[in-house]
């Protein structure tokens, strides 16, 4: 049992799953608070050269993968550390969640804002509040499962004066090899403080949003042999905060014993530009 007067503190973490129940008229709400790892934690053991850590983004929002009936769900921060979103800008998102739907999550991403303004801050405390609907009879109990996963977002730039390049058919192509994100199965998950490790039973996805001056090609590479394991190009364009980005993503299930790394490359000769990259578990 927890509420805005006494939220359950999940400590420092970037992901969680919690089971609970709320009862109308008796225990109307449950409130959880968690603090995202700071930038030093994200960078621990890794030297970031090509990439600059910017913040976190919630992978598929805050979700209710199971619940007996619809619930009110809200998410935000509170300078008073209580979970009351009583000041302008404290509640990031809030809505009634249709638990019978195919996607039972609260989307906290607002495409009308800039990409940077959508990022969650390193070291910031956030609150998730679940509340029973006021239309339910008193005494109605609703069981739920609440989950969230935040992944770090990094900024990079393909720059003709700084980056590696090669000539092909008379054109020069530039690329960034992102060894900062390299990993093997069993390595600690970047930016996680719960002891989670990369697994050969999970699907992972690398997502890149780039300026339209850059048509990104994404490569998954065996770092030890330089073998290209997979490659993907632009899938779509997204407009965020009035700015259009090229969007590319590549999904894979890692195998034990392979040291993985990634590369972002210009698909056409002479292309340069900034890009944003995230890497985490593929959402449902």
């Amino acid at each position: 049992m927890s509420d805005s007067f006494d939220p359950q503190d999940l400590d420092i973490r970037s992901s969680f799953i919690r089971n609970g129940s709320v009862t109308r008229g008796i225990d109307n709400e449950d409130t959880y608070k968690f603090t995202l790892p700071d930038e030093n934690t994200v960078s621990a053991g890794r030297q970031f050269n090509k990439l600059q850590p910017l913040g976190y983004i919630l992978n598929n929002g805050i979700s209710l993968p199971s619940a007996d009936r619809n619930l009110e769900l809200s998410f935000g921060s509170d300078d008073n550390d209580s979970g009351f979103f009583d000041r302008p800008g404290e509640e990031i998102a809030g809505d009634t969640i249709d638990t019978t739907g195919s996607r039972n999550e609260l989307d906290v991403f607002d495409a009308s804002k800039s990409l940077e303004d959508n990022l969650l801050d390193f070291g910031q405390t956030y609150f998730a509040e679940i509340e029973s609907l006021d239309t339910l009879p008193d005494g109605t109990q609703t069981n739920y499962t609440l989950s969230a996963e935040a992944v770090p977002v990094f900024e990079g730039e393909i720059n003709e004066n700084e980056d590696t390049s090669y000539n092909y058919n008379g054109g020069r192509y530039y690329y960034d090899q992102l060894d900062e994100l390299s990993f093997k199965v069993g390595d600690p998950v970047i930016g996680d403080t719960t002891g989670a490790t990369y697994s050969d039973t999970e699907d992972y996805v690398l997502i890149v949003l780039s300026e339209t001056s850059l048509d990104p090609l994404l490569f998954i590479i065996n770092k030890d042999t330089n073998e290209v394991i997979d490659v993907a190009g632009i899938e779509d364009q997204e407009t965020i905060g009035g700015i259009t980005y090229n969007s590319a993503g590549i999904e894979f299930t890692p195998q034990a014993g392979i040291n993985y790394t990634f590369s972002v490359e210009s698909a056409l000769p002479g292309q340069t530009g900034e890009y944003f990259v995230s890497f985490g578990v593929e959402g449902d």
Side-chain angles (χ1 to χ4, degrees), residues 166-174 268-270:
Y166 62 90
N167 283 319
Y168 179 74
N169 282 346
R172 182 166 292 276
Y173 296 77
Y174 301 92
L268 297 174

Side-chain angles (χ1 to χ4, degrees), residues 46 177 179 181-185 187 220-227 229 252 254-262:
R46 296 174 183 264
Q177 184 159 315
D179 290 339
L181 303 182
S182 64
F183 77 98
K184 301 184 296 294
V185 169
D187 283 350
I220 302 175
I221 300 169
N222 184 320
K223 188 177 179 181
D224 297 324
T225 66
N226 288 323
E227 174 193 0
I229 296 171
F252 72 108
Q255 298 178 25
I258 296 178
N259 191 9
Y260 291 93
T261 191
F262 307 97

Side-chain angles (χ1 to χ4, degrees), residues 26 98 132 164 239 250:
I26 302 173
D98 180 5
S132 179
T164 309
T239 300
I250 191 166

Side-chain angles (χ1 to χ4, degrees), residues 31 50 83 121 181 201 212 236 272 279:
T31 302
K50 296 291 186 181
D121 295 330
L181 303 182
T201 62
T212 53
D236 203 353
T272 59
F279 175 61

Side-chain angles (χ1 to χ4, degrees), residues 7-16 31-37 56 58 62 75-76 81 120-121 123-128 146 148-150:
Q8 182 176 341
D9 191 351
L10 304 181
D11 204 8
I12 300 173
R13 59 176 56 240
S14 58
S15 62
F16 62 84
T31 302
Y32 299 90
K33 77 173 184 177
F34 65 102
T35 302
L36 288 174
Y56 277 87
L58 280 167
I62 300 281
F75 174 77
D81 200 35
L120 305 180
D121 295 330
Q124 175 68 47
T125 298
Y126 292 93
F127 296 81
L146 177 71
E149 181 193 15

